[in-house]
Amino acid sequence: MQQSRLSHADAALPPSFPTDPTNPLTHLGTLLPGHDHSDLIRRLGAGFQGCQFLGGAREAKEAHADQSVTILHAKVAQKSYGNEKRFFCPPPCVYIGGHGWRGYGDSVYRICGYMCLDTSNQTQADTFKLVFDEQPNSKRLFACAKSLFISDQDKRKHFCLLLQLFLGNRQEVGSFQSRMIKVISKPSQKRQSMKNADLCISSFSKVALFNRLRSQTVSTRYLSVDRGAFIASARQWTAFTITMGNCATGGFVLSEGFICYGSVVQLVCTESGLALPPMVIRKVNKQHAILDVDEPISQLHKCAFQFRDSPNAYLCLTNDTIIQYQAPSSIRDSSRVVLNEGSCWTIIGVEVVEFTFNQGLTCLQSPVSPFPVITGLEVNGGGHVAMLEIHGENFSPHIKMLFGNCEAETMFKSPKSLLCVIPDVSVYSDGWRCLRRIITLPLSLIRTDGLIYRSSYSFTYTPELHLPPPTRGAAGGREGGADRGQEDEEDILLETIHQEFTRTNFHLFIQS
């Protein structure tokens, strides 16, 4: 089986789980007048590149104690009717990782969990007990909910999954919620329009592929990655980032939009970055690949993947192995290709939700939930009195903002909004005025009991170049230099007064 890794040019998305990509925000610091700027000017002229500063050794040490909970689930679920139970496929999966779990001793291997739908009338029969196993060649724990379903008695069009984790001593870790899942009755065979855009599959989204031989549930196999190889697994499935590309120039130029049949796509493992070669996605009807269809791909459609550089070869499974199947052309119809069962895949959009937290040196007695999540940032003002508004969910008055490992003054506005004062850059580097470098800090949230909630956002301090004012005439002599030094001191004093005045007014505004 041909395998290839994404080069730097092809890697449109990071190989890790992730997270929504965000541009770092900028807080402009200022260089004091009268200081030497020549070193900065030379560095800027030579193509100055800032270096990353992550808050020092203490923060790096604490990061090793992070604890992560990752939920993988499908974007849509088929409703069950009567006594027929249509179990969610692929089944929701949970991964637990991070060195922080080892702080509990051997109880980390006795973590238990329960997964159910987010309804108020749940019974024990509706809840699936998760049994965690340690993955081979990995320090993570894994479990999947194989028998979850939604009945026709539930009239909702969308729902979430609810995960509850406990330690072996019955201590509750917390509750974690999935993304929204859309309920459908069966896969749509109609040509999708913008009205049903949530059923279409777009470029740069995440998908899963599975194959069900002879339509038997027990024969379901999922496309997965294990130890650097593509496999067909009966238990675990992998989320792939599917990207659409233009191959007119012989390369693979990424493009956005909904993916249609006949498009050239590439599947990239979201965790390892391992990628399959570019393939043309084809519609499947009655075990035939249809070559002249260009309609948008919908959730739970049957499809085939034709290798771009080997037109007669299709992505196929045999037992637990992934191979290339050489498909014969149909004699009666040149627009159809006869496939075997192993080449017919079902495609479905999936979500990857990650929760990362750190209890630091404290021993927490209360659950980590409700888990606050940052969804957006907005800078107000600039310089030394810049404010940052944080948008998200599950905020409370007990939550503060962390820039690196420095706690910022934070004001609670609502469960979806916080406001904080951006710390002065001198907090992170005593030699800022001399080093004059770009500093990038990770943004986190901290609870009053010391629990840290990680996020995928960062904040960047960028030095602002202020050239010194032109020197006065030589006639000034020593007296002129003394006057200039006094003026510098007065400017610094006025700037300090202005900062304190603005900051005081801000606090009065918040209190009012």
Side-chain angles (χ1 to χ4, degrees):
M1 182 65 224
Q2 182 184 3
Q3 299 174 7
S4 63
R5 287 189 177 275
L6 281 180
S7 66
H8 292 292
D10 293 332
L13 295 175
S16 60
F17 284 142
T19 23
D20 296 333
T22 57
N23 295 323
L25 298 168
T26 299
H27 173 204
L28 296 178
T30 55
L31 299 177
L32 290 178
H35 285 239
D36 180 27
H37 300 74
S38 57
D39 178 62
L40 179 60
I41 296 171
R42 285 195 298 270
R43 293 169 71 186
L44 286 170
F48 169 68
Q49 293 183 348
C51 59
Q52 194 174 41
F53 181 81
L54 296 180
R58 175 188 169 190
E59 185 173 338
K61 183 178 179 181
E62 288 181 353
H64 288 294
D66 281 355
Q67 299 165 249
S68 67
V69 177
T70 306
I71 303 174
L72 278 70
H73 66 88
K75 286 186 175 181
V76 299
Q78 283 188 266
K79 182 177 291 189
S80 300
Y81 291 94
N83 295 326
E84 179 190 12
K85 295 179 180 179
R86 295 182 177 177
F87 299 133
F88 298 156
C89 188
C93 294
V94 179
Y95 292 88
I96 293 179
H99 294 283
W101 293 102
R102 303 193 181 276
Y104 297 106
D106 60 356
S107 63
V108 66
Y109 297 102
R110 293 183 286 115
I111 289 178
C112 62
Y114 300 89
M115 182 171 279
C116 60
L117 277 62
D118 61 334
T119 54
S120 57
N121 56 349
Q122 286 289 340
T123 64
Q124 188 173 359
D126 300 323
T127 303
F128 186 89
K129 183 177 181 179
L130 299 171
V131 178
F132 288 96
D133 298 323
E134 191 166 10
Q135 290 183 291
N137 304 317
S138 174
K139 297 180 180 180
R140 297 193 306 172
L141 302 178
F142 165 80
C144 66
K146 298 180 180 179
S147 58
L148 283 180
F149 65 96
I150 181 169
S151 69
D152 54 353
Q153 303 298 319
D154 195 331
K155 303 303 181 183
R156 293 179 297 172
K157 295 183 178 180
H158 295 84
F159 68 93
C160 291
L161 296 173
L162 188 64
L163 167 68
Q164 294 177 296
L165 291 180
F166 298 87
L167 296 178
N169 57 4
R170 297 185 180 180
Q171 178 184 348
E172 183 183 359
V173 177
S175 300
F176 307 89
Q177 199 171 57
S178 74
R179 300 268 169 82
M180 280 290 183
I181 300 175
K182 182 180 177 65
V183 181
I184 61 175
S185 59
K186 61 180 181 179
S188 175
Q189 299 303 322
K190 298 179 181 178
R191 184 182 180 94
Q192 297 301 325
S193 62
M194 290 303 295
K195 184 177 64 174
N196 294 321
D198 54 346
L199 291 178
C200 296
I201 294 176
S202 58
S203 185
F204 302 105
S205 65
K206 298 177 182 65
V207 298
L209 296 175
F210 62 90
N211 185 297
R212 189 168 286 166
L213 298 175
R214 298 175 296 280
S215 300
Q216 296 178 351
T217 302
V218 294
S219 67
T220 304
R221 296 292 183 271
Y222 306 96
L223 182 64
S224 185
V225 173
D226 182 37
R227 285 170 281 188
F230 288 91
I231 64 169
S233 173
R235 184 165 181 256
Q236 291 182 244
W237 55 276
T238 296
F240 293 92
T241 299
I242 184 168
T243 53
M244 182 170 55
N246 182 358
C247 301
T249 58
F252 189 77
V253 182
L254 299 177
S255 59
E256 297 181 348
F258 293 125
I259 296 177
C260 299
Y261 291 112
S263 302
V264 179
V265 298
Q266 193 164 30
L267 296 171
V268 185
C269 175
T270 56
E271 184 177 3
S272 66
L274 200 66
L276 284 164
M279 299 176 291
V280 181
I281 188 167
R282 301 294 188 185
K283 185 172 183 177
V284 170
N285 184 20
K286 297 180 180 179
Q287 215 164 306
H288 286 77
I290 314 300
L291 306 183
D292 57 354
V293 175
D294 60 356
E295 63 187 38
I297 300 169
S298 185
Q299 301 286 352
L300 292 173
H301 267 195
K302 289 284 187 68
C303 58
F305 293 89
Q306 174 189 15
F307 288 93
R308 182 193 63 178
D309 299 330
S310 302
N312 293 328
Y314 285 79
L315 185 72
C316 178
L317 67 83
T318 173
N319 297 323
D320 296 336
T321 308
I322 300 297
I323 63 170
Q324 293 187 30
Y325 171 71
Q326 299 296 324
S329 300
S330 175
I331 301 177
R332 296 181 178 179
D333 190 348
S334 60
S335 64
R336 291 174 175 261
V337 174
V338 181
L339 301 175
N340 63 350
E341 279 193 299
S343 303
C344 302
W345 299 88
T346 301
I347 188 170
I348 188 171
V350 298
E351 295 280 8
V352 179
V353 190
E354 186 171 6
F355 304 89
T356 304
F357 55 95
N358 189 318
Q359 59 179 324
L361 302 177
T362 60
C363 183
L364 298 179
Q365 301 298 324
S366 58
V368 302
S369 53
F371 204 99
V373 178
I374 299 176
T375 58
L377 303 173
E378 184 178 349
V379 174
N380 297 316
H384 298 276
V385 289
M387 307 298 165
L388 184 66
E389 185 165 2
I390 304 101
H391 304 285
E393 297 176 351
N394 298 328
F395 295 152
S396 74
H398 307 292
I399 297 293
K400 304 294 181 183
M401 196 71 187
L402 275 181
F403 287 71
N405 57 4
C406 177
E407 185 176 319
E409 297 180 66
T410 308
M411 279 62 68
F412 171 78
K413 292 180 65 178
S414 73
K416 294 187 176 183
S417 178
L418 297 175
L419 199 63
C420 74
V421 179
I422 297 175
D424 192 87
V425 69
S426 60
V427 174
Y428 304 100
S429 177
D430 294 335
W432 164 258
R433 303 302 181 188
C434 301
L435 295 175
R436 302 155 187 163
R437 62 179 181 177
I438 293 176
I439 294 181
T440 298
L441 299 167
L443 295 180
S444 306
L445 297 168
I446 184 169
R447 204 166 64 181
T448 51
D449 60 357
L451 179 68
I452 298 174
Y453 300 96
R454 302 294 186 194
S455 83
S456 59
Y457 288 82
S458 63
F459 188 89
T460 298
Y461 291 86
T462 305
E464 185 175 312
L465 180 60
H466 280 220
L467 295 177
T471 57
R472 298 183 179 182
R478 181 178 299 178
E479 183 179 351
D483 291 343
R484 182 60 196 164
Q486 183 178 357
E487 289 180 5
D488 288 346
E489 293 179 1
E490 291 175 353
D491 289 342
I492 294 173
L493 178 61
L494 288 173
E495 183 182 5
T496 304
I497 294 173
H498 171 71
Q499 294 172 18
E500 293 302 322
F501 176 77
T502 308
R503 192 182 296 270
T504 303
N505 281 348
F506 170 76
H507 287 300
L508 290 175
F509 169 75
I510 292 297
Q511 293 173 7
S512 62

